[in-house]
Amino acid sequence: MLKFIAACGSGLGSSLMVSMNVTKVLKELGVEAEVEHSDISNAVFKNADYYVLGRDVAESSAVSSIDKNKIITLQNILSVQELKDKIKEKLKIE
């Protein structure tokens, strides 16, 4: 089973919202996955298949230890369509 981590600076508001959207999108796509949210400092120590980050957090030095192929960077964390498009691209779903 795939594992996604949505991360933000504090691991509270925006990461929780993005994790809920990731769960929604994955369900729509028929993909089984575990989804959690975290602050970026702790997220880098968790083993995940994909990390979903806002562009502000993606530019953080803490992210440098994450394999770039595992990062999904959102320009607009509120856009479910952007999230869906990027997840489909990463998972190679038509």
Side-chain angles (χ1 to χ4, degrees):
M1 180 181 296
L2 293 174
K3 182 174 181 179
F4 284 76
I5 294 179
C8 68
S10 65
L12 299 172
S14 57
S15 64
L16 175 59
M17 180 186 59
V18 172
S19 71
M20 292 183 340
N21 286 340
V22 170
T23 299
K24 176 183 173 184
V25 165
L26 292 172
K27 186 174 182 179
E28 287 176 11
L29 296 173
V31 176
E32 274 194 51
E34 177 184 341
V35 182
E36 65 179 79
H37 66 99
S38 176
D39 63 281
I40 191 61
S41 298
N42 288 311
V44 298
F45 297 110
K46 298 179 181 189
N47 190 20
D49 296 292
Y50 297 100
Y51 299 83
V52 183
L53 313 170
R55 65 179 171 180
D56 58 328
V57 178
E59 296 168 1
S60 163
S61 61
V63 176
S64 63
S65 63
I66 299 174
D67 177 352
K68 301 296 181 231
N69 293 318
K70 293 182 169 192
I71 296 175
I72 298 171
T73 303
L74 301 175
Q75 298 301 313
N76 178 355
I77 63 169
L78 300 176
S79 173
V80 176
Q81 187 61 53
E82 178 188 4
L83 176 63
K84 187 174 187 176
D85 292 345
K86 290 188 173 180
I87 287 176
K88 286 173 67 175
E89 181 181 325
K90 281 288 183 186
L91 300 181
K92 297 178 178 25
I93 296 173
E94 294 291 322

